[in-house]
Amino acid sequence: MTGCCALKGPLVFQWLVAAVIGVNHHFCTETNYYYQYTECDSTGSRWRVAIPINPSSCSNLPPPIRGTDCSFSCPAGKFLEMTTQQCTPCVAGSYSLGSGLRFDQWDAIPAGFTSLASFLDPGPNGEDILACNSSSWTPQGVYLESNRDECTVSLVYAVHLEKQGSVSFTYQYPDNNIFFEFYVQNEQCQEMAQADDQKWIKVTNNGQWDSHTVNLKSGTNILYWRTTGILVGGKVVKPVLLKNIQIEGVAYTSECFPCRPGWFSSAPGSSSCQPCASNTFSIKGASSCTTCPEHYYSHEGWAECKVRPPCSEKDYFQIHTACDSEGKTQVLYRWVEPKICVENITGAVELPVTGQRDNDSTCLPCPPGTHSNGTYVCTKCPAGTEPVLGYEYKWWNVLPSNMKTSCFNVGNSKCDDMNGWEVAGDHIRSGAGSSDNDYLILSLVPASLSGMTGSEFGSITFVFETICTGDCELYFMMSTTVVESWEGSKGKQSYSHSMTRNDSVSYTWAFQKTNHALDVRHYVSDMVKLYSISVTNVLDGVASSCRACALVPQNSQQAGSSCVPCPAGFYIDRDTNRCQECPPNTHLAGRHTYGQDACVACGPGSISNKEHSRCYSDCSFSHTENNRTLTFDLSSLSTPASLTIGPSFTSKGTKYFHLFNISLCGHEGATRGAVCTDNVTDVSSKDDQSDLAQFVNSVDSFICQSTIIPKYGRGFRMAISSQSISLADAFIGATVDSVLDGVNAKLELFPENVKDVPDINFFYRSMQATASCDQGRSSVITVRCNPKKSERGELSVPSSCPAGTCDGCTFHFLWESASACPHCAEDDYHRIDGACKGGVQETLFLWNEPKLCTKGVSLPPRSSSPCEVIALWLKVGVGGGAFVAVLLISLTCFFWKKNKRLEYKYSRLVMSANKECDLPAADSCALAEGEEPDDDVVYTQKPSLLGKLRAIANKFGTTNVNLMVSLQEKTGDHQNR
């Protein structure tokens, strides 16, 4: 037994232990042990070893023998019988994939699968988030349902392949607000190399299943199905549904799998099981199905039958037959199929009798060139007019020929043959369906649009109402894209959607009563009612009215009463019925182009494009204030700019940012300029490069917003961009006023502008109504001059409204930039003349501080001019000074001479007093005024200047004393006498 010496591993050890300790026990039988292969060696060989169920129960186990090749496998429908090591067919009631595994029963998560929930983002304060402990993949019978929250949940399955294989699965992925990826790791937890289209799962349409296949390498493969909800905005996301997981590449299977309850396989060697038909059931491992007893029923694939309830009004519906030759239609009542109720028991209702009603206005469409509003016969349009083509549905006695209805269910194929909607006179309503989670679908077949005005090629308007007791939802889709959806009960209301592309499109309404698969029906009476549908500008439509049309020009060879379409930007003149171009800086508004009043003037600070389809700003602006005109050139702000605000956190702590892409002026009216894209959808639709897909996944606007979830902390390879919306589809105008067309800039939200340059407010509007903004959204960009900023400047939002909006409907932005300053003019600088040096004088020009202008006029260059050394003012000053000096000298000489005369007189008077003579009379003691002295006074010594001053100061005092003494003496003499 040399071959046994080569055996290694725990299996051989178990066999040796059993052989030793079982010597004193009875001999083993086939019920005491089972066979298993050892691990493959380097040569690709293995051994078959008998393993006792209880090591001490028996002895004499069969010796190990060489097993089949490691790459050996049985075909589908057979298994490897280990006793003979031969492929054996599966018995009836079971199945085998041969070298594969299949998981299609989801009453519970199968063995080997693990659901792991995590939340890798920390909270706002860094704390751990434990709110995801309850998140998981949930089994729902025929499929597995992902989480609906913002947790990251992975479904993990590890499988060892002896050869190259593959994994395939069927899924439903209707909501790109869930991030869904599939990837494979090896046993070292290293991610296998995968192409993008293998890792990122493609989004499916509502109610439709798709399949995904990925090749696997030999060895250990760890499979991950990972979902992460992008739950921003509060709307509940739709889960990912997963079923029919099949893995190929397993070397062998040693047993067959029994069919699950409600399924069967009738023949040996089956590779799959089939569901039991309605009103039958089966147990696990059944080879056939059993019919339900009387008054019991079951649906397809049921494991048991249930008692049939009494029939009620919820179990039937009405339909209308096609119009007959007399223009009449018949009302018929039909039981909901499959019928599960019983009529002939107590409390049951009977099917109503067939009724009849007249109908002569909606049976047939009017012929081309005619019109009717439904109350009179079709009439030809008058000369100079044309039919207003479109679809107009108001009466629902029969289903129009260009509409169809269907039913689709994620796990019930019986719904496929049922009508999803039924006509009901003044409305059309959703039907009962086969189960509460059916998709009830109404489609308006593709129609070509005939372009009408500007960017709008047509529109659809419908009036609807939803009546629900559960979590119903109505979807309105254009082709395969969901345009809008409504959850729960909604009152009677109207919805309109404009078409901006001249394409053939189809419109679809899909109604689901609940998205939960339930065995018992709870929402049979939940429904949606459509009262009217109107589609404009449809080439193959019918007309309910006529309108004036443009006639062929008189100079044309086809002149006459034939109608021709007007070129873009032209209206129909009321007097001549000819096409006339709109005046400059006007745009065509609405769907009616008759008369010049259809050309609406653009708002302030805006101009129209060549097609007169929209108004835009050319990034220039002027404003006159206080007899001064300010001119602004904002071309530096013309390219789109981005602003990211946040972070914000959801209730469970997911970090996200709001990204705004802003195009102040647009691309000269050709496009709006700012584009926001959902990259989740882009990645999942990587193989769909159609123009329609690109159109749907991106938003082109003056201002758009996306929600960004960063890649760090969530294990994403890139940041996730989702929920892109338009905030500004139309440019209203630019003005320094704070209010325009009902939109308020609310400048008090930003810091006050303390500069002399006024703010420029750019106003925008988006007419698409939302649940919270029934008039649509509006936006204001306030452009402010700030010389301290760069030319591109800086964007900001109000500090009191960090999301950019305070009410969710009006968004406010402040754009500070040096480019927002006006063009420089001559008033913005001043002149400085330098000193005259060497006969040359320099002149400088400096900007006024602070400088609040840009571009425009430049500072005049420094200049030099000849000049004299002594300036004129200096000459005048010197001349004036010289004149004053001469005058002072003359006055000094005059008073000096006069002083000399007074001094002489005083000297004579003193001399007379010293001779002790009588004082003369007043008129004879001194010289009279003007009298010249007879004698010259000769001084022996010339007095000094100081002496002169003292003499002048003292002479009057001495004179007075002498006079007083003399007078007193004279008086005494007279008295003595």
Side-chain angles (χ1 to χ4, degrees):
M1 240 176 91
T2 57
C4 292
C5 296
L7 295 177
K8 297 180 180 180
L11 295 181
V12 180
F13 177 75
Q14 293 180 34
W15 177 82
L16 292 174
V17 171
V20 172
I21 67 174
V23 172
N24 297 323
H25 293 80
H26 63 84
F27 291 101
C28 293
T29 63
E30 292 183 357
T31 59
N32 300 123
Y33 61 87
Y34 62 93
Y35 289 110
Q36 191 169 341
Y37 282 127
T38 64
E39 294 290 337
C40 294
D41 58 22
S42 58
T43 63
S45 301
R46 57 187 172 183
W47 295 81
R48 189 198 69 175
V49 179
I51 306 298
I53 298 175
N54 187 349
S56 60
S57 61
C58 62
S59 60
N60 296 332
L61 289 171
I65 64 173
R66 187 175 294 275
T68 60
D69 235 13
C70 287
S71 60
F72 175 82
S73 61
C74 294
K78 294 184 179 182
F79 71 101
L80 183 63
E81 209 286 314
M82 295 296 290
T83 303
T84 62
Q85 297 193 73
Q86 299 292 325
C87 292
T88 304
C90 295
V91 298
S94 63
Y95 71 97
S96 169
L97 299 177
S99 62
L101 301 173
R102 177 186 294 161
F103 303 94
D104 55 6
Q105 301 180 35
W106 304 102
D107 299 315
I109 295 182
F113 283 87
T114 304
S115 182
L116 301 177
S118 63
F119 200 98
L120 303 180
D121 268 348
N125 300 320
E127 69 273 12
D128 293 332
I129 299 296
L130 303 177
C132 293
N133 292 341
S134 59
S135 298
S136 66
W137 285 80
T138 307
Q140 297 288 355
V142 296
Y143 55 80
L144 201 60
E145 182 180 286
S146 75
N147 60 311
R148 297 168 180 256
D149 53 27
E150 57 212 271
C151 299
T152 298
V153 181
S154 298
L155 181 69
V156 185
Y157 183 76
V159 62
H160 185 81
L161 302 184
E162 296 294 345
K163 58 181 180 180
Q164 291 185 352
S166 64
V167 57
S168 62
F169 54 89
T170 305
Y171 70 95
Q172 189 179 125
Y173 179 24
D175 192 345
N176 59 17
N177 287 317
I178 282 187
F179 190 78
F180 182 33
E181 60 179 330
F182 173 78
Y183 62 96
V184 183
Q185 289 184 349
N186 59 20
E187 54 189 356
Q188 283 82 33
C189 294
Q190 297 173 336
E191 187 172 335
M192 302 285 202
Q194 289 178 252
D196 285 342
D197 57 351
Q198 292 181 325
K199 181 173 182 178
W200 310 106
I201 308 301
K202 181 181 178 181
V203 176
T204 62
N205 297 324
N206 282 293
Q208 295 186 1
W209 292 89
D210 204 347
S211 60
H212 190 74
T213 302
V214 175
N215 294 326
L216 302 177
K217 295 182 179 180
S218 59
T220 300
N221 293 266
I222 306 175
L223 314 179
Y224 287 84
W225 293 264
R226 186 165 72 172
T227 59
T228 302
I230 307 174
L231 210 63
V232 179
K235 186 175 181 180
V236 178
V237 299
K238 299 185 182 305
V240 174
L241 306 183
L242 191 64
K243 67 176 184 178
N244 296 341
I245 299 177
Q246 185 166 322
I247 302 173
E248 296 287 347
V250 179
Y252 70 95
T253 178
S254 58
E255 61 180 346
C256 294
F257 300 97
C259 294
R260 62 174 172 168
W263 294 62
F264 74 100
S265 65
S266 58
S270 296
S271 60
S272 63
C273 298
Q274 303 300 321
C276 290
S278 298
N279 298 322
T280 64
F281 72 100
S282 71
I283 61 174
K284 184 177 182 179
S287 59
S288 63
C289 300
T290 305
T291 304
C292 292
E294 186 179 4
H295 299 315
Y296 282 74
Y297 77 99
S298 71
H299 290 311
E300 182 184 69
W302 277 22
E304 60 180 354
C305 299
K306 296 184 178 181
V307 178
R308 292 181 180 272
C311 291
S312 65
E313 290 82 0
K314 299 178 181 179
D315 295 309
Y316 65 83
F317 60 93
Q318 70 174 16
I319 61 174
H320 293 75
T321 63
C323 291
D324 56 20
S325 58
E326 298 180 358
K328 295 180 179 180
T329 181
Q330 193 174 35
V331 179
L332 303 179
Y333 295 90
R334 294 286 185 267
W335 292 112
V336 173
E337 294 294 341
K339 182 184 177 185
I340 62 174
C341 65
V342 181
E343 302 176 60
N344 53 358
I345 61 175
T346 304
V349 300
E350 296 181 353
L351 197 67
V353 297
T354 300
Q356 193 174 39
R357 62 190 293 179
D358 291 336
N359 175 33
D360 58 359
S361 62
T362 59
C363 289
L364 296 173
C366 285
T370 63
H371 72 284
S372 172
N373 66 355
T375 60
Y376 55 82
V377 297
C378 298
T379 305
K380 191 174 182 179
C381 288
T385 64
E386 63 181 356
V388 182
L389 298 179
Y391 295 148
E392 187 82 19
Y393 303 112
K394 296 181 180 179
W395 294 273
W396 302 96
N397 296 321
V398 292
L399 188 68
S401 59
N402 60 344
M403 299 182 74
K404 62 180 181 179
T405 176
S406 60
C407 178
F408 184 82
N409 189 289
V410 296
N412 184 4
S413 59
K414 290 296 183 181
C415 173
D416 297 345
D417 299 327
M418 301 182 62
N419 287 329
W421 292 62
E422 55 198 44
V423 293
D426 65 339
H427 67 274
I428 183 172
R429 64 190 179 195
S430 57
S434 62
S435 62
D436 286 345
N437 66 333
D438 292 343
Y439 282 94
L440 307 173
I441 299 172
L442 176 68
S443 298
L444 184 60
V445 297
S448 297
L449 301 176
S450 58
M452 188 69 179
T453 63
S455 59
E456 182 178 302
F457 287 87
S459 66
I460 180 171
T461 303
F462 58 90
V463 179
F464 72 98
E465 176 185 17
T466 56
I467 305 172
C468 302
T469 58
D471 58 339
C472 70
E473 187 162 8
L474 171 65
Y475 304 90
F476 171 62
M477 296 182 288
M478 185 181 69
S479 295
T480 58
T481 303
V482 176
V483 177
E484 189 59 87
S485 62
W486 298 266
E487 297 180 1
S489 293
K490 299 294 181 183
K492 190 174 181 180
Q493 57 186 279
S494 175
Y495 176 80
S496 297
H497 178 72
S498 298
M499 290 295 302
T500 57
R501 294 168 59 87
N502 191 5
D503 284 340
S504 294
V505 296
S506 61
Y507 302 104
T508 301
W509 294 262
F511 180 70
Q512 189 181 37
K513 300 178 181 181
T514 180
N515 56 13
H516 298 285
L518 304 172
D519 291 338
V520 180
R521 303 198 63 179
H522 299 287
Y523 311 110
V524 178
S525 60
D526 290 4
M527 69 177 69
V528 57
K529 296 181 178 181
L530 279 178
Y531 293 94
S532 64
I533 301 175
S534 175
V535 186
T536 63
N537 299 339
V538 183
L539 291 178
D540 55 351
V542 295
S544 61
S545 61
C546 300
R547 66 183 174 198
C549 65
L551 302 180
V552 176
Q554 295 180 351
N555 56 358
S556 173
Q557 297 180 354
Q558 300 177 353
S561 61
S562 300
C563 293
V564 294
C566 287
F570 284 68
Y571 67 95
I572 303 174
D573 185 82
R574 295 181 184 273
D575 298 328
T576 63
N577 271 28
R578 310 290 180 185
C579 295
Q580 296 289 337
E581 185 176 5
C582 282
N585 297 331
T586 62
H587 69 285
L588 283 172
R591 307 185 187 102
H592 187 60
T593 61
Y594 189 64
Q596 187 172 349
D597 52 357
C599 304
V600 180
C602 293
S606 64
I607 58 177
S608 65
N609 57 3
K610 294 180 180 179
E611 295 78 18
H612 297 277
S613 60
R614 65 166 60 103
C615 297
Y616 69 99
S617 169
D618 60 356
C619 276
S620 64
F621 184 80
S622 62
H623 172 66
T624 301
E625 187 178 54
N626 298 329
N627 295 326
R628 182 189 179 192
T629 299
L630 302 178
T631 303
F632 299 83
D633 180 8
L634 305 177
S635 57
S636 298
L637 310 181
S638 61
T639 56
S642 297
L643 172 64
T644 302
I645 59 176
S648 300
F649 297 87
T650 64
S651 58
K652 284 194 174 182
T654 295
K655 181 189 296 183
Y656 67 92
F657 299 84
H658 284 309
L659 171 66
F660 295 94
N661 286 331
I662 298 174
S663 177
L664 186 69
C665 308
H667 291 167
E668 297 183 356
T671 60
R672 298 175 180 90
V675 177
C676 295
T677 304
D678 292 346
N679 66 355
V680 174
T681 305
D682 284 349
V683 171
S684 61
S685 303
K686 212 168 182 63
D687 58 342
D688 185 4
Q689 299 296 330
S690 66
D691 188 51
L692 181 60
Q694 296 175 3
F695 170 75
V696 170
N697 297 335
S698 63
V699 175
D700 176 17
S701 178
F702 285 103
I703 307 173
C704 60
Q705 172 190 303
S706 294
T707 301
I708 305 296
I709 297 180
K711 65 178 180 179
Y712 52 84
R714 302 307 298 270
F716 298 152
R717 68 167 188 173
M718 66 179 74
I720 303 303
S721 173
S722 66
Q723 301 180 359
S724 298
I725 58 174
S726 171
L727 305 178
D729 294 327
F731 177 61
I732 304 176
T735 176
V736 297
D737 298 330
S738 59
V739 179
L740 180 63
D741 197 22
V743 182
N744 194 332
K746 293 187 177 181
L747 299 179
E748 65 273 10
L749 296 175
F750 297 105
E752 184 181 359
N753 183 10
V754 297
K755 302 179 179 65
D756 294 334
V757 179
D759 292 337
I760 308 173
N761 300 309
F762 284 71
F763 294 84
Y764 307 86
R765 177 174 282 125
S766 174
M767 297 305 298
Q768 190 66 45
T770 64
S772 57
C773 309
D774 54 358
Q775 300 299 320
R777 299 183 179 94
S778 56
S779 302
V780 182
I781 303 176
T782 300
V783 179
R784 177 172 293 178
C785 169
N786 190 338
K788 297 181 180 179
K789 302 293 183 180
S790 64
E791 286 194 353
R792 284 291 292 167
E794 180 179 320
L795 278 163
S796 61
V797 294
S799 58
S800 58
C801 306
T805 176
C806 300
D807 57 5
C809 297
T810 304
F811 290 77
H812 302 273
F813 304 92
L814 176 63
W815 199 337
E816 296 181 278
S817 167
S819 301
C821 298
H823 277 180
C824 295
E826 294 181 358
D827 296 337
D828 294 309
Y829 62 83
H830 59 274
R831 171 176 174 167
I832 298 178
D833 292 325
C836 186
K837 296 180 180 181
V840 177
Q841 183 183 39
E842 290 191 350
T843 302
L844 300 178
F845 296 88
L846 297 179
W847 294 112
N848 299 333
E849 292 295 337
K851 182 185 177 184
L852 298 176
C853 65
T854 182
K855 300 179 181 178
V857 300
S858 302
L859 280 176
R862 178 186 304 217
S863 61
S864 300
S865 59
C867 64
E868 297 182 12
V869 176
I870 301 178
L872 177 62
W873 64 268
L874 185 59
K875 292 180 180 181
V876 173
V878 171
F883 173 77
V884 172
V886 171
L887 180 62
L888 290 176
I889 294 172
S890 301
L891 291 174
T892 301
C893 295
F894 171 77
F895 286 111
W896 179 80
K897 184 176 181 180
K898 189 172 184 179
N899 183 59
K900 283 293 186 181
R901 292 174 181 172
L902 290 175
E903 186 178 0
Y904 174 74
K905 292 179 181 180
Y906 171 72
S907 298
R908 293 285 299 267
L909 182 62
V910 172
M911 291 175 62
S912 299
N914 289 337
K915 293 179 179 181
E916 297 181 356
C917 63
D918 293 336
L919 291 173
D923 56 355
S924 63
C925 289
L927 293 175
E929 183 71 24
E931 183 181 357
E932 295 294 333
D934 296 333
D935 301 322
D936 293 329
V937 180
V938 180
Y939 293 95
T940 60
Q941 184 178 355
K942 186 177 181 180
S944 65
L945 177 63
L946 182 61
K948 293 180 179 180
L949 292 176
R950 289 176 179 175
I952 294 174
N954 296 327
K955 69 179 180 178
F956 292 104
T958 304
T959 304
N960 290 337
V961 173
N962 294 332
L963 288 175
M964 182 178 65
V965 172
S966 299
L967 291 175
Q968 287 177 350
E969 290 177 352
K970 280 286 185 182
T971 304
D973 291 341
H974 287 292
Q975 289 178 352
N976 292 330
R977 291 179 186 175

